[in-house]
Amino acid sequence: MFNQSIIHMFSILLICHSVTRWLVLISLGTTIYRSATGLLNKKHFTKKDDQCRHWTATIIHIQFIFGMVMYFKSPAVARFHMTGLEATRGITDSVFFGIIHISMMLTAVILVTLGSAFAKRYTEDDKKYKTILLYFGIALLIILAAIPWPFSPLAQRPLIRTL
């Protein structure tokens, strides 16, 4: 069904997606931390804070592009679309990646995009910090729930993929 070049491309995308996951988590954590401390300590929203906001949104968009390409090339998603929801029993890899993972991650990307855009437009420092804290914080919780951790009851994958 899948030729060798598609399987090779998919394997490389899996590695990129796996590595970029950590960049997303680190950048979200850093930006949320800076926003929380900035808000609590009543600091000015600095150029560094704005760069963290910007780069976090950029990294999550890059990750989303990797994810969308994988979604349309994934054997697990292809199985889900071929068999349909009624043919699956419970939450299988096909259901997880075909519905749950993509829906939750899309929601998280939208939240980061909106939070970044709103924070960029505010002029008050506390509004910038609060907006980033709220939108990026909710997005982080959704992402943590939607990642197929090795210990996840829904779908398990290694912490870093290799060929």
Side-chain angles (χ1 to χ4, degrees):
M1 179 177 173
F2 292 101
N3 69 34
Q4 208 58 24
S5 64
I6 290 176
I7 293 170
H8 183 68
M9 178 198 71
F10 188 75
S11 297
I12 291 170
L13 279 171
L14 272 174
I15 293 169
C16 292
H17 194 62
S18 177
V19 170
T20 309
R21 158 190 17 179
W22 296 106
L23 296 176
V24 167
L25 293 174
I26 290 166
S27 66
L28 271 171
T30 301
T31 305
I32 290 168
Y33 174 79
R34 289 185 65 86
S35 294
T37 57
L39 184 63
L40 291 173
N41 298 325
K42 299 186 185 323
K43 293 182 178 179
H44 291 292
F45 194 83
T46 65
K47 184 176 181 178
K48 177 96 172 174
D49 294 320
D50 194 51
Q51 288 174 337
C52 283
R53 174 204 56 79
H54 169 77
W55 283 107
T56 298
T58 301
I59 291 166
I60 204 167
H61 286 112
I62 291 168
Q63 177 72 331
F64 183 67
I65 292 168
F66 284 147
M68 289 309 296
V69 171
M70 286 178 43
Y71 181 79
F72 290 108
K73 298 295 181 189
S74 169
V77 174
R79 277 191 301 274
F80 169 74
H81 289 294
M82 285 188 296
T83 60
L85 187 58
E86 60 278 346
T88 61
R89 301 279 186 239
I91 297 178
T92 62
D93 275 3
S94 299
V95 172
F96 178 78
F97 290 106
I99 298 173
I100 298 169
H101 183 73
I102 188 76
S103 301
M104 292 177 78
M105 292 303 186
L106 177 59
T107 302
V109 170
I110 290 169
L111 285 169
V112 168
T113 303
L114 289 173
S116 178
F118 293 153
K120 184 178 179 179
R121 284 163 179 74
Y122 287 130
T123 55
E124 302 91 352
D125 295 336
D126 64 326
K127 278 191 177 181
K128 288 178 182 274
Y129 285 132
K130 284 179 186 175
T131 302
I132 290 170
L133 205 52
L134 176 66
Y135 284 84
F136 286 32
I138 294 170
L140 178 61
L141 292 176
I142 291 170
I143 289 169
L144 289 172
I147 290 175
W149 299 105
F151 50 83
S152 172
L154 302 176
Q156 298 83 35
R157 295 293 185 272
L159 293 176
I160 295 183
R161 298 292 293 243
T162 59
L163 287 177

